[in-house]
Amino acid sequence: QDHPFYTPRFTPVMKALAADEPLSIKAIAERSSVSHSAASQTVAKLARHGLVELDQDTDRRGRLVSLTKDGRALLPWLQRRWAATNKAADALDQELTHPLSAVLAEAIEQLEQCGFAQRIKDHEKHLGEAQ
């Protein structure tokens, strides 16, 4: 069964919590490679859907995020969906002349060296000079 409220945005946070909980927002952000702000916003949305709860950290400086009963109940469906997604991506890689995973890894590496926003600025400058 599908869960209509579940979006791909939830996946990094749910994967982090499935592996280890409770976690601080900072730990979720680090483990899922998203910004602190994105992790915080996603946790808030998950809490509105009743999948996570926030408790005060023991030192009272932060909040810890845990899966609720409903969040844990969703994990088997998510784990099947994640496994199916990985298998579908692997199958697609086998069908392509250049594996998409390799092209994406290469693109990410190049974008880390020079971001897309900078690339746009560089080309705007060159277009302006050509006129």
Side-chain angles (χ1 to χ4, degrees), residues 22-108:
L23 292 173
S24 67
I25 300 284
K26 180 180 179 184
I28 291 170
E30 290 170 354
R31 292 176 189 209
S32 58
S33 299
V34 299
S35 70
H36 187 279
S37 175
S40 180
Q41 291 171 13
T42 303
V43 164
K45 288 182 182 209
L46 287 166
R48 283 195 293 275
H49 286 290
L51 300 178
V52 300
E53 59 190 2
L54 289 89
D55 293 313
Q56 199 68 36
D57 197 353
T58 53
D59 66 7
R60 300 235 180 258
R61 289 189 299 176
R63 294 172 53 130
L64 293 176
V65 182
S66 300
L67 293 170
T68 62
K69 180 180 162 196
D70 288 345
R72 280 189 198 85
L74 190 59
L75 286 179
W77 175 80
L78 288 173
Q79 289 163 337
R80 285 191 306 275
R81 178 61 62 103
W82 297 335
T85 300
N86 289 337
K87 289 197 178 290
D90 290 344
L92 178 60
D93 266 0
Q94 297 300 314
E95 296 170 17
L96 299 172
T97 56
H98 301 299
L100 185 58
S101 59
V103 173
L104 286 173
E106 186 178 0
I108 290 168

